[in-house]
Amino acid sequence: MDLSNLKPAEGSVKNQGKRIGRGQGSGKGGTATRGHKGAKSRSGYSKKVGFEGGQMPLQRRVPKFGFTNINRVEYQGINLDTLQQLADDKKVGDTVDFETLFANRLIGKNDLVKILGRGELKAKLKVSAHKFTASAKAAIEAAGGEVVTL
C-alpha cells in the first residue's frame, strides 16, 4: 500500500443526494432544478394518467366498440396433456374430479371446468367436469376412460 492506492474503508463514505432548494450558495437554489414556470415547476403537480400534454389522449382518440355480454359463462380449460402429466406424476389415481383439480391448483373453487383436446391421453381415467370438447371426449373414451358431466 502507498499513497497512489489509498482508499477509504468500505462503507465509511456515503454519497448523499443533492440537497435542492437550500439557498443560492448550494448551487441548487432558486428554481431548485425545476426550470422556469410551467405546471411541472409548481408544488403539488402530478400528471394525470394518460395525459399527453394537451394532445387528445389515445384512449379518447380510439373509438369505443363491442359490448360485454352479461350472461357470458367462463370455463377454465384443462387440456388432455395436463391430465396425462398428472397421471404420470402420480398426483391422481384413476379418477379426476373437481376436488383433485382444485388440490393441484389447476382451478379455483368457483370455476367451471371444461376439458379440452390438446395433447394425447394414454392413462385410463374417469374424468368428471362441467363440459368436454368432442375431441377430448373421444380421446378419454379411446384410452378406456369414462366421461362424467357435472
Side-chain angles (χ1 to χ4, degrees):
M1 183 197 294
D2 57 14
L3 289 177
S4 68
N5 59 14
L6 284 178
K7 59 180 192 236
E10 195 66 38
S12 67
V13 176
K14 294 190 178 76
N15 186 11
Q16 263 136 357
K18 59 183 174 184
R19 281 164 54 84
I20 56 176
R22 288 293 176 270
Q24 294 301 331
S26 67
K28 298 273 188 289
T31 60
T33 73
R34 287 170 175 250
H36 295 281
K37 296 188 191 171
K40 275 178 155 172
S41 73
R42 317 291 183 193
S43 69
Y45 166 75
S46 66
K47 200 174 86 198
K48 303 275 190 293
V49 176
F51 184 65
E52 296 181 19
Q55 170 176 301
M56 186 61 68
L58 181 70
Q59 117 251 15
R60 289 188 62 200
R61 288 198 300 264
V62 177
K64 295 200 252 182
F65 72 98
F67 77 107
T68 305
N69 183 358
I70 60 167
N71 299 315
R72 179 177 167 82
V73 178
E74 285 258 14
Y75 289 92
Q76 181 65 44
I78 307 279
N79 277 294
L80 292 178
D81 53 10
T82 312
L83 294 180
Q84 183 61 48
Q85 186 69 45
L86 287 175
D88 292 344
D89 297 344
K90 307 241 185 318
K91 288 185 177 172
V92 292
D94 53 353
T95 61
V96 175
D97 56 7
F98 192 89
E99 282 72 37
T100 52
L101 292 173
F102 181 68
N104 287 298
R105 296 180 151 190
L106 292 168
I107 54 173
K109 68 178 196 305
N110 299 321
D111 287 349
L112 298 174
V113 182
K114 184 169 184 173
I115 305 297
L116 309 173
R118 186 187 73 199
E120 55 181 324
L121 186 68
K122 300 184 208 79
K124 180 182 174 187
L125 296 171
K126 179 183 178 184
V127 184
S128 49
H130 298 97
K131 285 235 165 142
F132 295 86
T133 61
S135 60
K137 199 170 196 170
I140 292 167
E141 285 164 352
E146 190 185 333
V147 169
V148 180
T149 307
L150 296 176

